Amino acid sequence: MKTHIPFYNFDENGKVIDRCSGDVYSRFIDYAFEESDFFMLVYVNYYGKGYTKVMKKFREELQPFVVKSRSNPFWPGTLGTYCPNTTYKVIFYRKDEKAKKILKRVDRLSAWSCPSYPQDLAFFKGNNCWVYSVGHEVMGDIIDPTEKDILFLEKNGLASRSDIKIDMNNYYSAYDETLIP
């Protein structure tokens, strides 16, 4: 059984808003690089039209940090998808200061969404998914948050202790990935 703490918020009209933007996003990336071992991005080639120039540039610049790549259409936050004539490249990277600078070129967590950018940035501690996001839905979660994680989220206005949820069905275990044999 795992716990998780969502860090997305709703405005007074019920619309999801991305509080993980600007300086908060930058601090989030710094924190994620301190606490995790790997990160993941998904590159989507919709209808065989190819990748955008921006996606190609990110993929090229992050290439030196690749630890694993696969084409199965599932990843943290999306356990299955199907779009005709569409291919998915799920790529896992080791953390590195150069990679962190590349991720900081984006201004908010929800920007990791196609077609502009690779999508659904996630972070792993060893083989376990620790943070995942679904860019187009403006959502993210920390799985099994530590006290340090909770304090970071609270300090940055992303979530509070009362937001913690318990996963009774072990759903979040499906997000784990073998990155270390």
Side-chain angles (χ1 to χ4, degrees), residues 42-43 51 59 68-75 81 86-92 177:
V42 180
Y43 299 81
Y51 300 111
R59 193 167 170 185
K68 182 178 180 177
S69 177
R70 60 176 174 74
S71 55
N72 318 50
F74 66 88
W75 56 89
T81 187
T86 298
T87 58
Y88 304 88
K89 201 52 112 168
V90 183
I91 303 181
F92 300 85
E177 185 81 23

Side-chain angles (χ1 to χ4, degrees), residues 5-181:
I5 186 167
F7 56 96
Y8 51 92
N9 302 94
F10 298 91
D11 67 12
E12 62 278 354
N13 298 318
K15 182 181 175 194
V16 180
I17 53 176
D18 189 350
R19 296 196 194 283
C20 193
S21 61
D23 290 340
V24 173
Y25 172 74
S26 182
R27 287 191 298 272
F28 168 76
I29 293 297
D30 289 338
Y31 182 72
F33 268 69
E34 288 171 18
E35 297 298 313
S36 67
D37 302 306
F38 306 100
F39 66 96
M40 178 212 79
L41 288 167
V42 180
Y43 299 81
V44 182
N45 177 353
Y46 283 110
Y47 309 108
K49 293 181 180 179
Y51 300 111
T52 65
K53 288 180 183 179
V54 173
M55 272 198 252
K56 287 178 184 175
K57 183 141 178 74
F58 273 103
R59 193 167 170 185
E60 178 183 300
E61 290 178 342
L62 291 169
Q63 183 61 35
F65 315 111
V66 171
V67 295
K68 182 178 180 177
S69 177
R70 60 176 174 74
S71 55
N72 318 50
F74 66 88
W75 56 89
T78 305
L79 289 180
T81 187
Y82 176 76
C83 188
N85 302 316
T86 298
T87 58
Y88 304 88
K89 201 52 112 168
V90 183
I91 303 181
F92 300 85
Y93 303 94
R94 66 179 165 80
K95 65 182 187 178
D96 183 276
E97 282 301 310
K98 290 178 186 174
K100 181 167 72 169
K101 287 179 184 174
I102 293 167
L103 295 184
K104 284 188 171 189
R105 289 201 318 244
V106 171
D107 68 343
R108 66 192 185 285
L109 188 59
S110 65
W112 293 108
S113 185
C114 289
S116 300
Y117 297 105
Q119 68 185 40
D120 300 349
L121 178 63
F123 291 91
F124 292 77
K125 288 183 176 184
N127 295 328
N128 299 308
C129 182
W130 169 63
V131 171
Y132 76 93
S133 68
V134 181
H136 73 278
E137 293 183 12
V138 192
M139 63 180 285
D141 270 36
I142 291 184
I143 301 170
D144 286 337
T146 63
E147 182 65 19
K148 185 176 178 183
D149 297 338
I150 295 165
L151 292 172
F152 174 83
L153 293 173
E154 288 179 329
K155 178 180 178 184
N156 288 280
L158 295 172
S160 67
R161 189 176 307 278
S162 63
D163 295 324
I164 294 175
K165 312 258 188 261
I166 298 173
D167 171 27
M168 299 300 287
N169 299 316
N170 215 19
Y171 175 80
Y172 293 97
S173 293
Y175 290 1
D176 295 342
E177 185 81 23
T178 303
L179 298 167
I180 302 171

